[in-house]
Amino acid sequence: MPAANHPAYQEELERCRYTLDYVGKTLEATLGKKEKLDKEVDRIKKHLNSDSSSNYVDLMVNTLLQGSMELKLRNLITARSKPYFARVDFQEDGKKDSEKLYIGKMSLMRDEDQQVIIVDWRAPIANLYYEERLGEAHYFCPDGDIQGKMLTKRQFSINEGILQDIFDIDITTNDDFLQSYLGASADNRLKEIVSTIQTEQNKIIRADMWRPMVVQGAAGSGKTTIALHRIAYLIYNHEKTLKPENFMIIAPNRLFLNYISEVLPELGVERVVQSTFESFAVDLLGKKFKVKDPNEKLALFMTRPGEPMSEESRKLFKATELKASMKFKTIMDRYVEHIEKDFIPKENFTIEGVIVYPYKEIDSLFKGEYKRWALVKRMDEIKKHLNNRLKSMKSKIINRLNDECDDRIMHLKETMEDNEERHKLIVEAIDKRDERIKRLESNAKKAVNDYIKRISKFSPWEYYFDLMKDTKLLLQLSVGLADTETVTYLAEYTNKVIKAGFIEVEDFAPLTYLKYLIYGIDEKIPVRQIIIDEAQDFSIFQLYALRKIIKDSSFTILGDLCQGIHSYRGIKDWKEVLAAVFEDKKPEYLTLEQSYRTSVEIMEAANDVISALGNEDFLKAKPVIRHGEPVKSVRVKDEKEMISDLCKQISDTRNDGLKSIAVICKTLEECISVHPKIAKAVPEANLITGKEDQYKGGIVVVPSYLSKGLEFDAVFIANAEQFGKSELDIKLLYVAMTRALHKLTLYYV
């Protein structure tokens, strides 16, 4: 209700003013400290002495302080506008008085007495707001399970420091409060979710960090915001043992990463690793590759309504499906076993004609005792064996050479008179012995290295490229896993791409897996929690390779099978992920069916579209009761009429206060055709091609497959008749429709 009409208005107004006043004083004091710190850092830099280690230590410490102070300042500046969003009154069992807890995006304590003014939403006690109802309530914290009663649960709408609305509630979010949030512009929604986190979302955010989790979330269920808030929550609650750098979020492309990039700093989180799988793989492999645009392949699988996929595209679809599957992982396992057979040279390790280590013993170590290790790591251990045996054998060989020399001298003395000839032969025997010992000492220093060098060790990509060239071997390794046509086509197509100087996204999983199997992972990757968003478009092989490479990490995987437009390489069934990737970790599987993005009218229309696939695993989204304009289908006689009406609708939509607008076409080619015609009337309209690193927002013309993960106040789907009845087209249309928050219009000829 409007704040002034609430019975506790005066109390809450005074509290709001008090908090804002304290935030202001703290901000002023922090700015002063920051100014002094900046001057100190400048002073140290000017007088930095290369001989003084203490100067370097001071600089490092003060630079770290600068970073934390900048974060505090950002939080305080945000708090000047919205210091908190909720209040809970909790009376702990056995205590006389209740606590009034005001919950916000940051914590704030009074310097004088350490009294808490604002409780951080990530604190254990804040869970009372998200999960408990009035009456008997409890929360878990390091001290255990704290029982008590919740006497008050209240929400506030505070903007620009003005207390606008107060809602007394029982469950997480009052309908009016949630409706006002859902009615907000797309520009602010990612940043404002913290005040409206629902119970089902909160369980995912606060779930055990070390138990892997897979989340099937409907379009608009808040998967991306949950992912980001989970990172913020885990960093806050594990700050004593983990750093932000121990967390990594993996997204499908750079554009998506840029779209979410502002949210983590808003949540008080810096330095989290943000990457795509391709970037991660390139860093791991230590080699840059030119990657073929994956959307070119997707375009090949798109057909005109009613037309079948071409024979060439059908072969490519099957070949890509194989390369992204766990069957291809098995082929890589078999390939490494093939490499293993002839990895060790079939020769004894000898020195001075003496067998130090027989081939059979070395091969037995390699294929037996160290079987579980990467090939090159096995050789590191075998090298130790060779060195130890050589060290032991060397003294025996020297003793034998001395004995042989002594025997020779004794024989000369017994069979020859003491003359110049005998003396000459004795000297020759001694010299020969000394020469052999010297040669032995010299050879011993490099004998092991020389033996190891004779073992062929190529880079992972050389091994991979060699296999792709050897179709006969690839067919042998694929027996029982794939048909001859698919394997032969896979080899031919991959070779063609490689010869053109490229590799594909699907090649990164086998490449990184080969690196793991052949070389192991030398560097300790410091990531402890990996959060993967839009996971339905990752291959199961990618997830498996990640799990093997960063074995000390736990995973939170979020996606929506209904939006799996890259099904030729992506996940088709979460059960396969649970079984194949996390078979030993007892992962948790959760679903989010409630959609908070779109109105009832838009979501029902989108559900009608996805229902055409008749797949029971594709959970329909349940929209929050927020009604809006009916979905419009506009029939036009040609493109000219469509563009004319589109431009008028964009203008009217902006006049209605909606800022974020998308014109979505099925393909990039359509977008390239439509964009300049729209831009004549709407010059600020940007074309998104997929090559952008930055998301500019505003008005965009975007292909359906690049709109995934984004959201807009209004969406206009151009040439909707181009979407046919194939699985891919139905998913693309579903994705395009579910981008809209408030307004959706489909144009068709």
Side-chain angles (χ1 to χ4, degrees):
M1 69 169 67
N5 295 341
H6 194 278
Y9 172 66
Q10 200 57 43
E11 176 196 354
E12 296 299 359
L13 181 64
E14 287 173 13
R15 173 65 191 219
C16 185
R17 285 173 176 168
Y18 169 76
T19 305
L20 288 169
D21 181 55
Y22 202 87
V23 166
K25 288 176 183 174
T26 308
L27 178 59
E28 191 178 335
T30 307
L31 282 168
K33 290 176 186 174
K34 174 77 166 46
E35 189 179 344
K36 285 181 185 176
L37 188 60
D38 289 345
K39 286 178 181 176
E40 179 63 11
V41 169
D42 288 341
R43 185 191 67 76
I44 296 171
K45 283 180 179 176
K46 282 177 187 173
H47 299 92
L48 199 60
N49 185 338
S50 58
D51 296 329
S52 172
S53 61
S54 63
N55 275 357
Y56 279 108
V57 172
D58 287 346
L59 183 61
M60 285 173 64
V61 169
N62 284 312
T63 304
L64 285 171
L65 284 172
Q66 263 184 325
S68 62
M69 206 167 277
E70 281 167 9
L71 182 60
K72 186 177 180 182
L73 281 171
R74 235 189 344 263
N75 286 335
L76 286 166
I77 289 166
T78 302
R80 270 196 313 191
S81 173
K82 299 181 181 184
Y84 49 80
F85 53 80
R87 165 185 162 180
V88 293
D89 292 4
F90 181 69
Q91 185 172 6
E92 188 179 331
D93 286 350
K95 291 194 176 178
K96 185 180 176 183
D97 298 321
S98 64
E99 290 181 275
K100 292 180 183 176
L101 305 164
Y102 286 81
I103 301 165
K105 285 187 182 179
M106 61 169 282
S107 62
L108 184 65
M109 298 180 83
R110 201 158 56 198
D111 288 337
E112 309 89 87
D113 54 6
Q114 296 302 294
Q115 180 70 34
V116 176
I117 297 174
I118 305 172
V119 174
D120 193 296
W121 70 274
R122 297 166 293 185
I125 198 169
N127 210 31
L128 288 167
Y129 167 69
Y130 292 112
E131 300 228 340
E132 296 299 299
R133 304 186 70 161
L134 295 177
E136 300 292 331
H138 73 112
Y139 68 94
F140 291 97
C141 70
D143 292 335
D145 185 2
I146 308 300
Q147 301 279 342
K149 288 187 179 65
M150 183 146 62
L151 309 174
T152 305
K153 192 173 183 183
R154 190 170 284 169
Q155 283 173 323
F156 307 98
S157 179
I158 304 172
N159 286 298
E160 301 302 324
I162 297 169
L163 180 60
Q164 295 176 334
D165 294 297
I166 302 173
F167 301 98
D168 282 326
I169 59 170
D170 186 6
I171 54 173
T172 307
T173 301
N174 172 283
D175 273 350
D176 293 336
F177 191 81
L178 183 59
Q179 295 288 357
S180 66
Y181 158 73
L182 296 175
S185 164
D187 293 343
N188 297 318
R189 284 163 48 87
L190 269 181
K191 300 174 186 177
E192 295 304 322
I193 187 182
V194 70
S195 59
T196 57
I197 292 169
Q198 303 296 290
T199 302
E200 59 176 0
Q201 297 172 325
N202 188 56
K203 286 185 187 303
I204 296 168
I205 291 169
R206 296 176 187 253
D208 177 9
M209 174 170 166
W210 301 113
R211 186 178 179 186
M213 180 164 48
V214 174
V215 179
Q216 160 60 38
S221 59
K223 294 183 295 297
T224 299
T225 45
I226 288 168
L228 301 174
H229 284 72
R230 176 157 170 75
I231 291 174
Y233 170 78
L234 292 174
I235 289 173
Y236 178 87
N237 282 279
H238 294 271
E239 63 179 348
K240 291 180 181 175
T241 53
L242 296 172
K243 300 173 184 174
E245 294 90 341
N246 297 138
F247 295 81
M248 177 162 72
I249 183 160
I250 299 182
N253 54 56
R254 286 279 159 201
L255 183 68
F256 187 82
L257 284 173
N258 181 257
Y259 177 65
I260 64 173
S261 61
E262 292 181 17
V263 183
L264 284 172
E266 286 277 338
L267 294 172
V269 175
E270 303 278 10
R271 306 191 314 279
V272 167
V273 182
Q274 299 176 52
S275 182
T276 61
F277 185 84
E278 298 90 273
S279 296
F280 170 80
V282 164
D283 289 344
L284 185 78
L285 294 165
K287 179 178 170 62
K288 287 190 175 180
F289 298 92
K290 284 171 74 176
V291 183
K292 196 171 169 64
D293 183 355
N295 294 317
E296 288 178 16
K297 181 181 280 187
L298 180 64
L300 293 173
F301 302 143
M302 292 183 195
T303 57
R304 290 182 178 278
E307 288 184 7
M309 198 183 290
S310 71
E311 183 62 17
E312 185 73 10
S313 293
R314 184 192 66 79
K315 288 180 183 177
L316 179 58
F317 190 100
K318 285 189 72 180
T320 308
E321 202 170 35
L322 172 62
K323 195 186 280 187
S325 71
M326 292 298 280
K327 289 178 181 177
F328 206 65
K329 174 256 173 194
T330 303
I331 291 170
M332 292 301 107
D333 287 331
R334 290 177 180 180
Y335 181 38
V336 171
E337 285 177 7
H338 171 81
I339 295 168
E340 182 186 80
K341 285 177 188 173
D342 299 314
F343 200 75
I344 301 290
K346 288 185 170 61
E347 56 187 73
N348 300 322
F349 175 52
T350 63
I351 190 162
E352 288 300 304
V354 177
I355 297 174
V356 178
Y357 235 118
Y359 161 72
K360 282 190 175 179
E361 282 190 47
I362 298 172
D363 198 50
S364 176
L365 283 172
F366 185 76
K367 293 174 184 170
E369 190 172 337
Y370 299 119
K371 174 76 175 173
R372 291 183 297 110
W373 295 24
L375 301 189
V376 174
K377 296 285 185 187
R378 296 185 214 178
M379 290 314 303
D380 291 341
E381 288 305 304
I382 287 170
K383 188 175 178 180
K384 293 175 187 175
H385 282 267
L386 298 182
N387 275 317
N388 290 336
R389 179 79 64 89
L390 180 59
K391 192 175 179 183
S392 153
M393 289 285 286
K394 191 172 75 170
S395 58
K396 290 180 183 177
I397 294 169
I398 290 171
N399 288 338
R400 195 196 71 189
L401 291 173
N402 283 325
D403 290 344
E404 285 175 2
C405 182
D406 291 345
D407 289 346
R408 172 70 174 153
I409 292 169
M410 185 65 69
H411 177 72
L412 290 171
K413 286 181 177 179
E414 288 174 352
T415 57
M416 290 182 70
E417 291 182 9
D418 187 7
N419 56 28
E420 195 174 326
E421 179 65 22
R422 189 178 83 171
H423 182 70
K424 181 184 171 187
L425 290 172
I426 288 172
V427 169
E428 281 179 2
I430 293 169
D431 287 346
K432 188 177 179 182
R433 178 202 64 188
D434 291 345
E435 185 185 333
R436 288 183 72 184
I437 290 173
K438 186 178 178 183
R439 193 166 65 234
L440 174 67
E441 294 282 6
S442 175
N443 288 342
K445 289 177 182 175
K446 56 179 185 169
V448 173
N449 285 336
D450 286 347
Y451 181 83
I452 298 293
K453 279 177 188 172
R454 291 202 292 279
I455 299 169
S456 297
K457 289 184 296 217
F458 302 117
S459 62
W461 52 91
E462 285 173 314
Y463 277 117
Y464 184 64
F465 295 169
D466 282 350
L467 177 60
M468 292 300 110
K469 289 174 195 165
D470 194 341
T471 307
K472 186 180 176 183
L473 175 59
L474 187 59
L475 283 165
Q476 286 173 9
L477 299 173
S478 307
V479 170
L481 298 170
D483 60 84
T484 302
E485 181 191 59
T486 301
V487 175
T488 304
Y489 185 86
L490 184 150
E492 289 172 359
Y493 176 79
T494 306
N495 267 310
K496 190 165 68 175
V497 172
I498 291 167
K499 281 178 185 173
F502 291 88
I503 66 167
E504 293 193 300
V505 167
E506 294 83 17
D507 292 311
F508 280 116
L511 279 170
T512 52
Y513 189 56
L514 281 177
K515 158 102 183 193
Y516 166 75
L517 291 178
I518 296 169
Y519 283 86
I521 304 301
D522 293 327
E523 62 279 11
K524 183 88 169 167
I525 298 172
V527 175
R528 293 293 168 267
Q529 172 76 196
I530 298 174
I531 295 185
I532 301 175
D533 200 6
E534 297 291 342
Q536 74 280 351
D537 288 335
F538 286 72
S539 75
I540 192 162
F541 194 0
Q542 283 178 313
L543 298 180
Y544 183 85
L546 268 174
R547 169 83 200 286
K548 287 293 180 184
I549 290 162
I550 317 181
K551 59 180 181 293
D552 294 332
S553 185
S554 189
F555 287 72
T556 302
I557 294 173
L558 307 102
D560 179 16
L561 296 180
C562 294
Q563 299 179 64
I565 59 174
H566 296 280
S567 61
Y568 52 90
R569 70 160 189 254
I571 307 297
K572 296 178 181 66
D573 184 351
W574 294 121
K575 295 187 191 79
E576 191 182 2
V577 175
L578 297 170
V581 181
F582 303 112
E583 74 286 353
D584 58 337
K585 285 283 187 177
K586 295 185 180 175
E588 191 169 6
Y589 176 70
L590 298 168
T591 58
L592 293 170
E593 295 181 50
Q594 200 78 50
S595 175
Y596 302 96
R597 178 187 294 139
T598 58
S599 65
V600 171
E601 291 76 10
I602 294 170
M603 201 66 248
E604 284 180 350
N607 279 339
D608 284 345
V609 168
I610 204 68
S611 294
L613 292 177
N615 190 325
E616 291 180 3
D617 289 333
F618 292 178
L619 295 176
K620 285 185 187 177
K622 296 175 181 175
V624 168
I625 304 301
R626 177 175 69 86
H627 287 280
E629 294 183 25
V631 175
K632 293 178 185 172
S633 294
V634 179
R635 183 177 178 178
V636 291
K637 64 183 178 185
D638 54 26
E639 188 187 75
K640 186 178 178 182
E641 186 183 340
M642 180 185 76
I643 298 294
S644 173
D645 195 70
L646 245 176
C647 293
K648 180 181 180 303
Q649 289 299 322
I650 289 172
S651 176
D652 291 347
T653 301
R654 292 166 79 188
N655 290 336
D656 289 342
L658 302 181
K659 300 174 186 175
S660 174
I661 300 168
V663 176
I664 301 179
C665 303
K666 179 178 170 181
T667 66
L668 177 59
E669 287 71 25
E670 285 179 59
C671 289
I672 291 169
S673 170
V674 164
H675 174 253
K677 296 161 189 169
I678 292 174
K680 282 182 182 177
V682 189
E684 60 271 43
N686 292 307
L687 173 66
I688 293 180
T689 65
K691 294 186 169 42
E692 299 82 4
D693 282 334
Q694 280 198 319
Y695 177 73
K696 296 176 182 175
I699 301 168
V700 298
V701 179
V702 56
S704 53
Y705 48 85
L706 288 178
S707 69
K708 191 159 54 60
L710 308 179
E711 58 181 33
F712 308 93
D713 293 328
V715 168
F716 299 96
I717 299 177
N719 302 321
E721 76 280 357
Q722 293 300 320
F723 294 90
K725 294 182 179 179
S726 69
E727 180 179 338
L728 177 56
D729 275 14
I730 287 170
K731 286 180 176 178
L732 286 169
L733 181 56
Y734 178 80
V735 166
M737 292 173 74
T738 54
R739 301 308 95 202
L741 272 70
H742 308 298
K743 185 173 183 176
L744 174 63
T745 305
L746 293 87
Y747 286 92
Y748 67 100
V749 177

